[in-house]
Amino acid sequence: MSLQERIESVERRIVAACARSGRKREEVQIIAVTKYVTEKITGEVIRSGLNKVGENRWQDAQAKWEAFATEAEWHFIGHLQTNKVRDVIGKFQYIHSLDRLTLAEELNKKALSLGIQVNCFIQLNVSGEETKYGLPPDQLFTFAEQLSKLSALNIVGLMTMAPHEEEAEKVRPVFRELRNLRDELNSRQIFTCEIPHLSMGMSNDFEVAIEEGATWIRLGSILVGKLK
């Protein structure tokens, strides 16, 4: 399928998932994950109207960011090493993988030096898989208390990665738990503002994620294609 055909197919599925769960279409934002495509394809994706772009590593994103920095909103969705903060700070409007205090402190320090705020998602390993990054859910509220003292970090939501399953329905409990954790976090009023967002759902399970409250879905090959 062409890029436009993939976009139209995904859009129909998003609309249907929103209808099934009684949600408005505008509540769900798409992050086009371009880590597996070239700079040329990334440009085509952005020009198609998918201007929220997700990348996992700076070394893969750098050429794309330099080419299209002002044409898209950039989301860092991969594991972020503390010594790589200097590469992404000020370039990516959102960091989806905040999962430890050392990283938070480094992001805060660099952001203060630049006079900026950094929008962050707390990444949780809801499934408990050893291969997944993310904070254990039982540490969320203590971590949130620590983050509330870092003035340059704007915590906007929670993020998780579900196990890859052939049947997307099997991962519904993971998404439901993330939503419950977000709601509990808000009820505790640890932050001065309500935390609105849930970054969850990828190509194989985004419809279930939407039904469970996802506000950001991260779509790669199903949407933008593969490396060419």
Side-chain angles (χ1 to χ4, degrees), residues 21-111:
S21 50
R23 302 184 63 196
K24 297 177 181 178
R25 169 63 184 88
E26 56 266 28
E27 295 175 9
V28 181
Q29 300 289 321
I30 298 171
I31 299 170
V33 179
T34 54
K35 65 178 180 176
Y36 293 129
V37 298
T38 61
E39 179 183 327
K40 177 177 180 291
I41 298 297
T42 299
E44 293 174 4
V45 168
I46 293 169
R47 287 190 292 274
S48 77
L50 295 169
N51 62 352
K52 294 172 176 59
V53 173
E55 284 282 340
N56 281 53
R57 302 196 307 168
W58 172 244
Q59 52 265 51
D60 297 329
Q62 184 173 1
K64 302 169 192 176
W65 184 88
E66 290 173 350
F68 309 110
T70 61
E71 297 178 47
E73 179 181 273
W74 294 82
H75 294 249
F76 193 88
I77 60 175
H79 179 67
L80 181 55
Q81 297 176 337
T82 305
N83 63 359
K84 298 294 185 182
V85 166
R86 63 181 181 273
D87 294 328
V88 305
I89 193 84
K91 300 183 181 74
F92 288 79
Q93 287 89 347
Y94 289 85
I95 306 294
H96 287 244
S97 48
L98 179 56
D99 62 356
R100 60 199 186 281
L101 186 58
T102 53
L103 175 59
E105 290 173 337
E106 185 66 15
L107 282 165
N108 189 67
K109 183 175 76 173
K110 289 289 197 296

Coordinates of all heavy atoms in Angstrom, one line a residue, residues 21-111:
S21 N -15.6 2.7 22.1 CA -15.3 3.0 23.5 C -15.9 4.3 23.9 O -15.7 4.8 25.0 CB -13.8 3.0 23.7 OG -13.1 3.8 22.7
G22 N -16.8 4.9 23.0 CA -17.4 6.2 23.3 C -16.5 7.3 23.5 O -16.8 8.3 24.3
R23 N -15.5 7.4 22.7 CA -14.5 8.5 22.8 C -14.6 9.3 21.5 O -15.0 8.9 20.5 CB -13.1 7.9 23.0 CG -12.9 7.0 24.2 CD -11.4 6.6 24.4 NE -10.6 7.8 24.6 CZ -9.2 7.7 24.4 NH1 -8.7 6.6 24.0 NH2 -8.5 8.8 24.7
K24 N -14.0 10.5 21.7 CA -14.0 11.4 20.5 C -12.6 11.2 19.8 O -11.6 11.0 20.4 CB -14.0 12.9 21.0 CG -15.3 13.3 21.6 CD -15.3 14.7 22.1 CE -16.6 15.1 22.8 NZ -16.5 16.5 23.3
R25 N -12.7 11.2 18.5 CA -11.5 11.0 17.7 C -10.4 11.9 18.0 O -9.2 11.5 18.1 CB -11.8 11.1 16.2 CG -10.6 11.1 15.2 CD -9.9 9.8 15.3 NE -8.6 9.9 14.5 CZ -7.5 10.3 15.0 NH1 -7.3 10.7 16.2 NH2 -6.4 10.2 14.2
E26 N -10.7 13.2 18.4 CA -9.6 14.1 18.6 C -8.9 13.9 19.9 O -7.9 14.5 20.2 CB -10.2 15.6 18.6 CG -11.3 15.8 19.6 CD -12.7 15.6 18.9 OE1 -12.8 14.9 17.9 OE2 -13.6 16.3 19.4
E27 N -9.4 12.9 20.7 CA -8.7 12.6 22.0 C -7.4 11.7 21.8 O -6.6 11.6 22.7 CB -9.6 11.8 22.9 CG -10.8 12.6 23.4 CD -11.8 11.7 24.2 OE1 -11.5 10.6 24.5 OE2 -12.9 12.2 24.5
V28 N -7.3 11.2 20.5 CA -6.2 10.3 20.3 C -5.2 10.9 19.3 O -5.6 11.3 18.2 CB -6.7 9.0 19.7 CG1 -5.5 8.0 19.4 CG2 -7.7 8.3 20.6
Q29 N -3.9 11.0 19.6 CA -2.9 11.6 18.8 C -2.0 10.5 18.3 O -1.7 9.5 19.0 CB -2.0 12.6 19.6 CG -2.8 13.8 20.1 CD -3.3 14.7 19.0 OE1 -2.6 15.0 18.1 NE2 -4.5 15.2 19.2
I30 N -1.6 10.6 17.0 CA -0.7 9.6 16.4 C 0.8 10.1 16.4 O 1.0 11.2 16.0 CB -1.1 9.3 14.9 CG1 -2.5 8.8 14.8 CG2 -0.1 8.4 14.3 CD1 -3.0 8.7 13.4
I31 N 1.7 9.3 16.9 CA 3.1 9.5 16.8 C 3.6 8.6 15.7 O 3.5 7.3 15.8 CB 3.9 9.2 18.1 CG1 3.4 10.1 19.2 CG2 5.4 9.4 17.8 CD1 4.0 9.8 20.5
A32 N 4.1 9.1 14.6 CA 4.6 8.4 13.5 C 6.0 8.0 13.8 O 6.9 8.8 13.9 CB 4.5 9.2 12.2
V33 N 6.2 6.7 14.0 CA 7.6 6.2 14.4 C 8.4 6.0 13.2 O 8.1 5.1 12.4 CB 7.4 4.9 15.3 CG1 8.8 4.4 15.7 CG2 6.6 5.2 16.5
T34 N 9.4 6.8 13.0 CA 10.2 6.8 11.7 C 11.6 6.1 11.9 O 12.4 6.3 11.0 CB 10.4 8.2 11.2 OG1 10.9 9.0 12.3 CG2 9.0 8.8 10.8
K35 N 11.8 5.4 12.9 CA 13.1 4.8 13.2 C 13.6 3.8 12.1 O 14.8 3.6 11.9 CB 13.2 4.2 14.6 CG 12.3 3.0 14.7 CD 12.5 2.4 16.1 CE 11.6 1.1 16.3 NZ 11.9 0.5 17.6
Y36 N 12.6 3.2 11.4 CA 12.9 2.2 10.4 C 12.9 2.7 9.0 O 13.0 1.9 8.0 CB 12.0 1.0 10.6 CG 12.2 0.2 11.8 CD1 11.2 -0.1 12.7 CD2 13.5 -0.2 12.2 CE1 11.4 -0.8 13.8 CE2 13.7 -0.9 13.4 CZ 12.6 -1.2 14.2 OH 12.8 -1.9 15.4
V37 N 12.7 4.0 8.8 CA 12.7 4.6 7.5 C 13.7 5.7 7.3 O 14.2 6.2 8.2 CB 11.3 5.1 7.1 CG1 10.2 4.0 7.1 CG2 10.8 6.2 8.0
T38 N 14.0 6.0 6.0 CA 15.0 6.9 5.7 C 14.6 8.4 5.9 O 13.4 8.6 6.1 CB 15.4 6.7 4.2 OG1 14.2 7.0 3.4 CG2 15.9 5.4 3.9
E39 N 15.5 9.2 5.7 CA 15.2 10.7 5.8 C 14.2 11.1 4.7 O 13.3 11.9 5.0 CB 16.5 11.5 5.6 CG 16.4 13.0 5.7 CD 17.7 13.6 5.4 OE1 18.8 13.1 5.8 OE2 17.7 14.7 4.8
K40 N 14.4 10.5 3.5 CA 13.4 10.8 2.5 C 12.0 10.4 2.8 O 11.1 11.2 2.6 CB 13.9 10.1 1.2 CG 12.9 10.3 0.0 CD 13.5 9.6 -1.3 CE 12.6 9.8 -2.5 NZ 11.3 9.1 -2.3
I41 N 11.8 9.2 3.3 CA 10.5 8.8 3.7 C 10.0 9.6 4.9 O 8.8 9.9 4.9 CB 10.5 7.3 4.1 CG1 10.9 6.4 2.8 CG2 9.1 6.8 4.5 CD1 10.0 6.5 1.7
T42 N 10.8 9.9 5.8 CA 10.4 10.8 6.9 C 9.8 12.1 6.4 O 8.8 12.6 6.9 CB 11.6 11.0 7.9 OG1 12.0 9.7 8.4 CG2 11.2 11.9 9.1
G43 N 10.5 12.7 5.5 CA 10.0 13.9 4.9 C 8.6 13.7 4.3 O 7.7 14.6 4.4
E44 N 8.4 12.6 3.6 CA 7.1 12.3 3.0 C 6.0 12.1 4.1 O 4.9 12.6 3.9 CB 7.2 11.1 2.1 CG 8.1 11.2 0.9 CD 8.2 9.9 0.1 OE1 7.6 8.9 0.5 OE2 9.0 9.9 -0.9
V45 N 6.4 11.5 5.1 CA 5.5 11.3 6.3 C 5.0 12.6 6.8 O 3.8 12.9 7.1 CB 6.1 10.4 7.3 CG1 5.3 10.4 8.6 CG2 6.3 9.0 6.8
I46 N 6.0 13.5 7.1 CA 5.7 14.8 7.6 C 4.8 15.6 6.7 O 3.8 16.2 7.1 CB 7.0 15.6 8.0 CG1 7.7 14.8 9.1 CG2 6.7 17.0 8.4 CD1 9.1 15.3 9.4
R47 N 5.1 15.6 5.4 CA 4.3 16.4 4.4 C 2.9 15.8 4.3 O 2.0 16.5 3.9 CB 5.1 16.4 3.1 CG 6.3 17.3 3.1 CD 6.8 17.5 1.7 NE 7.4 16.3 1.2 CZ 8.7 15.9 1.4 NH1 9.5 16.6 2.1 NH2 9.1 14.8 0.8
S48 N 2.7 14.5 4.7 CA 1.4 13.9 4.6 C 0.5 14.4 5.7 O -0.7 14.2 5.6 CB 1.5 12.4 4.7 OG 1.7 12.0 6.0
G49 N 1.0 15.1 6.6 CA 0.3 15.7 7.7 C 0.5 15.0 9.1 O 0.0 15.4 10.1
L50 N 1.3 13.9 9.0 CA 1.7 13.2 10.3 C 3.0 13.9 10.9 O 4.1 13.5 10.6 CB 2.1 11.8 10.0 CG 0.9 10.9 9.5 CD1 1.4 9.6 9.0 CD2 -0.1 10.7 10.6
N51 N 2.7 15.0 11.6 CA 3.8 15.9 12.0 C 4.2 15.7 13.4 O 4.9 16.5 14.0 CB 3.4 17.4 11.7 CG 2.2 17.8 12.5 OD1 1.6 17.0 13.2 ND2 2.0 19.1 12.5
K52 N 3.8 14.6 14.0 CA 4.3 14.2 15.3 C 5.2 12.9 15.1 O 4.7 11.9 14.8 CB 3.2 13.9 16.3 CG 2.4 15.2 16.6 CD 1.1 14.9 17.5 CE 0.4 16.1 17.9 NZ 0.0 16.9 16.7
V53 N 6.5 13.1 15.3 CA 7.4 12.1 14.8 C 8.1 11.5 16.0 O 8.6 12.2 16.9 CB 8.5 12.7 13.9 CG1 9.6 11.7 13.5 CG2 7.8 13.2 12.6
G54 N 8.2 10.1 16.1 CA 8.9 9.4 17.1 C 10.2 8.8 16.7 O 10.2 8.1 15.7
E55 N 11.2 8.9 17.5 CA 12.5 8.3 17.2 C 13.0 7.7 18.5 O 12.8 8.2 19.6 CB 13.5 9.3 16.7 CG 13.3 9.6 15.2 CD 13.8 8.6 14.2 OE1 14.6 7.7 14.6 OE2 13.3 8.6 13.1
N56 N 13.8 6.6 18.4 CA 14.3 5.8 19.5 C 15.8 6.2 19.9 O 16.1 6.1 21.1 CB 14.3 4.3 19.2 CG 12.9 3.7 19.4 OD1 12.0 4.2 18.8 ND2 12.8 2.7 20.2
R57 N 16.6 6.6 18.9 CA 18.0 6.9 19.2 C 18.4 8.1 18.5 O 18.1 8.3 17.3 CB 18.9 5.7 18.8 CG 18.5 4.4 19.5 CD 19.6 3.4 19.3 NE 20.0 3.2 17.9 CZ 21.1 2.6 17.6 NH1 21.9 2.0 18.5 NH2 21.4 2.4 16.3
W58 N 19.2 9.0 19.2 CA 19.6 10.2 18.5 C 20.5 9.9 17.3 O 20.4 10.6 16.3 CB 20.4 11.1 19.5 CG 21.1 12.3 18.9 CD1 22.4 12.5 18.8 CD2 20.4 13.3 18.2 NE1 22.6 13.7 18.1 CE2 21.4 14.2 17.7 CE3 19.0 13.6 18.0 CZ2 21.0 15.4 17.1 CZ3 18.7 14.8 17.3 CH2 19.7 15.6 16.8
Q59 N 21.4 8.9 17.4 CA 22.2 8.7 16.2 C 21.4 8.3 15.0 O 21.9 8.6 13.9 CB 23.3 7.6 16.5 CG 22.8 6.3 17.1 CD 22.8 6.3 18.6 OE1 22.3 7.2 19.2 NE2 23.4 5.2 19.1
D60 N 20.3 7.7 15.1 CA 19.4 7.4 14.0 C 18.5 8.6 13.6 O 18.1 8.8 12.4 CB 18.5 6.2 14.3 CG 19.2 5.0 14.6 OD1 20.3 4.8 14.0 OD2 18.8 4.1 15.4
A61 N 18.2 9.5 14.6 CA 17.3 10.6 14.3 C 18.0 11.8 13.8 O 17.4 12.7 13.3 CB 16.6 10.9 15.6
Q62 N 19.3 12.0 14.1 CA 20.0 13.2 13.9 C 19.8 13.8 12.5 O 19.4 15.0 12.4 CB 21.5 13.1 14.2 CG 22.2 14.4 14.1 CD 23.7 14.3 14.6 OE1 24.1 13.2 14.9 NE2 24.4 15.4 14.5
A63 N 20.0 13.0 11.5 CA 19.9 13.6 10.1 C 18.5 14.0 9.8 O 18.3 15.0 9.1 CB 20.4 12.5 9.1
K64 N 17.5 13.2 10.3 CA 16.1 13.6 10.1 C 15.8 14.8 10.8 O 15.1 15.7 10.3 CB 15.2 12.4 10.5 CG 15.5 11.1 9.8 CD 14.8 9.9 10.5 CE 15.3 8.6 10.0 NZ 14.7 7.5 10.7
W65 N 16.2 14.9 12.0 CA 15.9 16.1 12.8 C 16.5 17.4 12.2 O 15.9 18.4 12.1 CB 16.4 16.0 14.3 CG 16.0 17.1 15.1 CD1 14.9 17.2 15.9 CD2 16.8 18.3 15.4 NE1 14.9 18.5 16.5 CE2 16.0 19.1 16.2 CE3 18.0 18.8 14.9 CZ2 16.5 20.4 16.7 CZ3 18.5 20.0 15.3 CH2 17.7 20.8 16.2
E66 N 17.8 17.2 11.8 CA 18.4 18.4 11.1 C 17.7 18.8 9.8 O 17.7 20.0 9.5 CB 19.9 18.1 10.9 CG 20.7 18.0 12.2 CD 22.1 17.5 11.9 OE1 22.4 17.0 10.8 OE2 22.9 17.5 12.9
A67 N 17.1 17.9 9.1 CA 16.4 18.2 7.9 C 15.0 18.8 8.1 O 14.6 19.6 7.4 CB 16.3 16.9 7.0
F68 N 14.4 18.3 9.2 CA 13.0 18.7 9.4 C 12.6 19.2 10.8 O 11.5 19.1 11.2 CB 12.1 17.4 9.1 CG 12.4 16.7 7.8 CD1 13.0 15.5 7.7 CD2 12.1 17.4 6.6 CE1 13.2 14.9 6.6 CE2 12.3 16.7 5.4 CZ 12.9 15.5 5.3
A69 N 13.6 19.8 11.4 CA 13.4 20.1 12.8 C 12.2 21.0 13.1 O 11.5 20.8 14.0 CB 14.7 20.9 13.3
T70 N 12.0 22.0 12.2 CA 10.9 22.9 12.5 C 9.6 22.5 11.8 O 8.6 23.2 12.0 CB 11.3 24.3 11.9 OG1 11.5 24.2 10.5 CG2 12.6 24.8 12.6
E71 N 9.6 21.4 11.1 CA 8.4 20.9 10.4 C 7.6 19.9 11.2 O 6.5 19.5 10.8 CB 8.8 20.4 9.1 CG 9.4 21.4 8.1 CD 9.8 20.7 6.8 OE1 9.0 20.0 6.2 OE2 10.9 21.0 6.3
A72 N 8.1 19.5 12.3 CA 7.4 18.4 13.1 C 7.6 18.6 14.6 O 8.5 19.4 15.0 CB 8.0 17.0 12.7
E73 N 6.8 17.9 15.3 CA 6.9 17.9 16.8 C 7.6 16.5 17.1 O 7.2 15.5 16.7 CB 5.5 17.9 17.4 CG 5.5 17.8 18.9 CD 4.0 17.8 19.4 OE1 3.5 18.9 19.6 OE2 3.5 16.7 19.5
W74 N 8.7 16.6 17.8 CA 9.6 15.4 18.0 C 9.4 14.8 19.3 O 9.4 15.4 20.4 CB 11.1 15.9 17.7 CG 11.3 16.3 16.3 CD1 11.0 17.5 15.8 CD2 11.7 15.5 15.2 NE1 11.3 17.5 14.4 CE2 11.7 16.3 14.1 CE3 12.2 14.2 15.1 CZ2 12.1 15.8 12.8 CZ3 12.6 13.7 13.9 CH2 12.6 14.5 12.8
H75 N 9.3 13.5 19.3 CA 9.0 12.7 20.5 C 10.2 11.6 20.6 O 10.4 10.8 19.7 CB 7.7 11.9 20.4 CG 6.5 12.8 20.4 ND1 5.6 12.9 21.4 CD2 6.1 13.7 19.5 CE1 4.7 13.8 21.2 NE2 4.9 14.3 20.0
F76 N 10.9 11.7 21.7 CA 11.9 10.6 22.0 C 11.2 9.5 22.7 O 10.8 9.7 23.9 CB 13.0 11.2 22.8 CG 14.2 10.3 22.8 CD1 15.2 10.4 21.8 CD2 14.4 9.3 23.8 CE1 16.3 9.5 21.8 CE2 15.5 8.4 23.8 CZ 16.4 8.5 22.8
I77 N 11.1 8.3 22.1 CA 10.3 7.2 22.6 C 11.2 6.0 23.1 O 10.6 5.1 23.6 CB 9.3 6.8 21.6 CG1 9.9 6.3 20.3 CG2 8.3 7.9 21.3 CD1 8.9 5.7 19.3
G78 N 12.5 6.1 22.8 CA 13.4 5.0 23.2 C 14.0 5.2 24.6 O 13.9 6.2 25.2
H79 N 14.7 4.1 25.0 CA 15.5 4.2 26.3 C 16.5 5.3 26.2 O 17.3 5.4 25.2 CB 16.1 2.9 26.6 CG 16.9 2.9 27.8 ND1 16.4 3.0 29.1 CD2 18.3 2.8 28.0 CE1 17.3 3.0 30.0 NE2 18.5 2.8 29.4
L80 N 16.5 6.2 27.1 CA 17.5 7.4 27.1 C 18.5 7.2 28.1 O 18.3 7.2 29.3 CB 16.7 8.7 27.3 CG 17.5 10.0 27.3 CD1 18.3 10.1 26.0 CD2 16.6 11.2 27.5
Q81 N 19.8 7.0 27.7 CA 20.9 7.0 28.6 C 21.2 8.4 29.1 O 21.1 9.4 28.4 CB 22.1 6.4 27.8 CG 22.0 5.0 27.4 CD 23.2 4.5 26.6 OE1 23.9 5.3 26.0 NE2 23.3 3.2 26.5
T82 N 21.6 8.4 30.4 CA 21.8 9.7 31.0 C 22.9 10.5 30.2 O 22.7 11.8 30.1 CB 22.3 9.5 32.5 OG1 21.3 8.7 33.1 CG2 22.4 10.8 33.2
N83 N 23.9 9.9 29.7 CA 25.0 10.6 29.0 C 24.5 11.0 27.6 O 25.3 11.7 26.9 CB 26.3 9.8 28.9 CG 26.1 8.5 28.2 OD1 25.0 8.2 27.7 ND2 27.2 7.8 28.0
K84 N 23.3 10.7 27.2 CA 22.8 11.1 25.9 C 21.8 12.3 26.0 O 21.3 12.8 25.0 CB 22.1 10.0 25.2 CG 23.1 8.8 24.9 CD 24.2 9.2 23.9 CE 25.0 8.0 23.5 NZ 26.1 8.3 22.5
V85 N 21.5 12.7 27.3 CA 20.6 13.8 27.5 C 21.0 15.0 26.7 O 20.1 15.7 26.1 CB 20.4 14.1 29.0 CG1 19.7 15.4 29.2 CG2 19.7 13.0 29.7
R86 N 22.3 15.3 26.7 CA 22.7 16.5 26.0 C 22.4 16.5 24.5 O 22.3 17.6 23.9 CB 24.3 16.7 26.2 CG 25.1 15.6 25.6 CD 26.6 15.7 25.8 NE 27.3 14.6 25.2 CZ 27.6 13.5 25.8 NH1 27.1 13.2 27.0 NH2 28.3 12.5 25.2
D87 N 22.3 15.3 23.9 CA 21.9 15.3 22.5 C 20.5 15.6 22.2 O 20.2 16.1 21.1 CB 22.3 13.9 22.0 CG 23.8 13.5 22.0 OD1 24.6 14.5 21.8 OD2 24.1 12.4 22.2
V88 N 19.6 15.2 23.1 CA 18.2 15.3 22.8 C 17.5 16.5 23.4 O 16.4 17.0 23.0 CB 17.4 14.0 23.2 CG1 18.0 12.8 22.5 CG2 17.3 13.8 24.7
I89 N 18.1 17.0 24.5 CA 17.4 18.1 25.2 C 17.3 19.4 24.3 O 18.2 19.7 23.6 CB 18.2 18.5 26.5 CG1 17.4 19.4 27.4 CG2 19.6 19.1 26.1 CD1 16.5 18.7 28.3
G90 N 16.1 19.9 24.3 CA 15.9 21.1 23.5 C 15.5 20.8 22.0 O 15.1 21.7 21.3
K91 N 15.7 19.5 21.7 CA 15.3 19.1 20.3 C 14.0 18.3 20.2 O 13.2 18.5 19.3 CB 16.5 18.3 19.7 CG 17.8 19.0 19.6 CD 18.8 18.1 19.0 CE 20.2 18.7 18.9 NZ 20.9 18.7 20.2
F92 N 13.8 17.5 21.2 CA 12.6 16.7 21.3 C 11.6 17.4 22.3 O 12.0 17.6 23.5 CB 12.9 15.3 21.8 CG 13.6 14.5 20.7 CD1 15.0 14.6 20.5 CD2 12.9 13.5 20.0 CE1 15.6 13.9 19.5 CE2 13.6 12.8 19.0 CZ 14.9 13.0 18.7
Q93 N 10.4 17.7 21.8 CA 9.5 18.3 22.7 C 8.9 17.4 23.8 O 8.4 17.9 24.8 CB 8.3 18.9 21.8 CG 8.7 20.1 21.0 CD 9.2 19.8 19.6 OE1 9.6 18.6 19.4 NE2 9.3 20.7 18.8
Y94 N 9.0 16.1 23.5 CA 8.5 15.1 24.5 C 9.5 14.0 24.7 O 10.0 13.5 23.7 CB 7.1 14.5 24.1 CG 6.0 15.5 24.1 CD1 5.7 16.3 23.0 CD2 5.1 15.5 25.2 CE1 4.6 17.2 23.1 CE2 4.0 16.4 25.3 CZ 3.8 17.2 24.2 OH 2.7 18.1 24.2
I95 N 9.7 13.6 26.0 CA 10.5 12.4 26.3 C 9.5 11.4 26.9 O 8.9 11.7 27.9 CB 11.6 12.8 27.3 CG1 12.4 13.9 26.9 CG2 12.4 11.5 27.7 CD1 13.3 13.6 25.7
H96 N 9.4 10.3 26.2 CA 8.4 9.3 26.7 C 9.0 8.2 27.6 O 8.3 7.3 28.0 CB 7.8 8.5 25.5 CG 6.8 9.4 24.7 ND1 5.5 9.1 24.5 CD2 7.0 10.5 24.0 CE1 4.9 10.0 23.8 NE2 5.8 10.9 23.4
S97 N 10.3 8.3 27.9 CA 10.9 7.2 28.6 C 11.6 7.6 29.9 O 12.7 7.1 30.2 CB 11.9 6.6 27.6 OG 12.7 7.6 27.0
L98 N 11.0 8.4 30.7 CA 11.6 8.8 32.0 C 11.3 7.7 33.0 O 10.1 7.5 33.4 CB 11.0 10.1 32.4 CG 11.4 10.7 33.8 CD1 13.0 10.9 33.8 CD2 10.7 12.0 34.1
D99 N 12.3 7.0 33.4 CA 12.1 5.9 34.3 C 13.0 5.7 35.5 O 13.1 4.7 36.2 CB 12.2 4.6 33.4 CG 13.6 4.4 32.8 OD1 14.5 5.3 33.0 OD2 13.8 3.3 32.2
R100 N 13.8 6.8 35.8 CA 14.7 6.7 36.9 C 15.2 8.1 37.3 O 15.2 9.0 36.5 CB 16.0 5.8 36.6 CG 16.8 6.3 35.4 CD 17.7 5.2 34.9 NE 18.6 5.7 33.8 CZ 18.2 6.0 32.6 NH1 16.9 5.7 32.2 NH2 19.1 6.4 31.7
L101 N 15.5 8.2 38.6 CA 15.8 9.5 39.1 C 17.1 10.1 38.6 O 17.1 11.4 38.3 CB 16.0 9.4 40.7 CG 16.1 10.8 41.4 CD1 14.9 11.7 41.1 CD2 16.3 10.5 42.9
T102 N 18.1 9.4 38.3 CA 19.3 9.9 37.7 C 19.1 10.6 36.4 O 19.6 11.7 36.1 CB 20.4 8.8 37.5 OG1 19.9 7.7 36.8 CG2 20.9 8.3 38.9
L103 N 18.2 10.0 35.6 CA 17.8 10.6 34.3 C 17.0 11.8 34.5 O 17.2 12.9 33.8 CB 17.0 9.6 33.4 CG 16.5 10.1 32.1 CD1 17.6 10.5 31.2 CD2 15.6 9.0 31.4
A104 N 16.1 11.8 35.4 CA 15.3 13.0 35.7 C 16.1 14.2 36.2 O 15.9 15.3 35.7 CB 14.2 12.6 36.8
E105 N 17.1 13.9 37.0 CA 17.9 15.0 37.5 C 18.8 15.5 36.4 O 19.0 16.8 36.4 CB 18.8 14.4 38.7 CG 18.0 14.1 39.9 CD 18.8 13.5 41.0 OE1 19.8 12.8 40.7 OE2 18.4 13.5 42.2
E106 N 19.3 14.7 35.5 CA 20.1 15.2 34.4 C 19.3 16.0 33.4 O 19.7 17.1 32.9 CB 20.8 14.0 33.7 CG 21.8 14.4 32.6 CD 23.0 15.2 33.1 OE1 23.2 15.1 34.3 OE2 23.7 15.8 32.3
L107 N 18.1 15.5 33.1 CA 17.1 16.3 32.3 C 16.8 17.7 32.9 O 16.8 18.7 32.2 CB 15.9 15.5 32.0 CG 15.9 14.4 31.0 CD1 14.7 13.5 31.2 CD2 16.0 14.9 29.6
N108 N 16.6 17.6 34.2 CA 16.2 18.9 34.9 C 17.4 19.9 34.9 O 17.2 21.1 34.6 CB 15.8 18.5 36.3 CG 15.2 19.7 37.0 OD1 14.2 20.2 36.7 ND2 16.0 20.2 38.1
K109 N 18.6 19.4 35.1 CA 19.8 20.2 35.1 C 20.0 20.9 33.8 O 20.2 22.1 33.7 CB 21.0 19.4 35.5 CG 22.3 20.2 35.7 CD 23.4 19.4 36.2 CE 24.0 18.5 35.1 NZ 25.2 17.8 35.5
K110 N 19.9 20.1 32.7 CA 20.2 20.6 31.4 C 19.1 21.5 31.0 O 19.3 22.6 30.3 CB 20.3 19.4 30.4 CG 21.5 18.6 30.5 CD 22.8 19.3 30.0 CE 23.9 18.4 29.7 NZ 24.4 17.7 30.9
A111 N 17.8 21.2 31.3 CA 16.7 22.1 31.0 C 16.8 23.4 31.7 O 16.6 24.5 31.1 CB 15.4 21.4 31.3

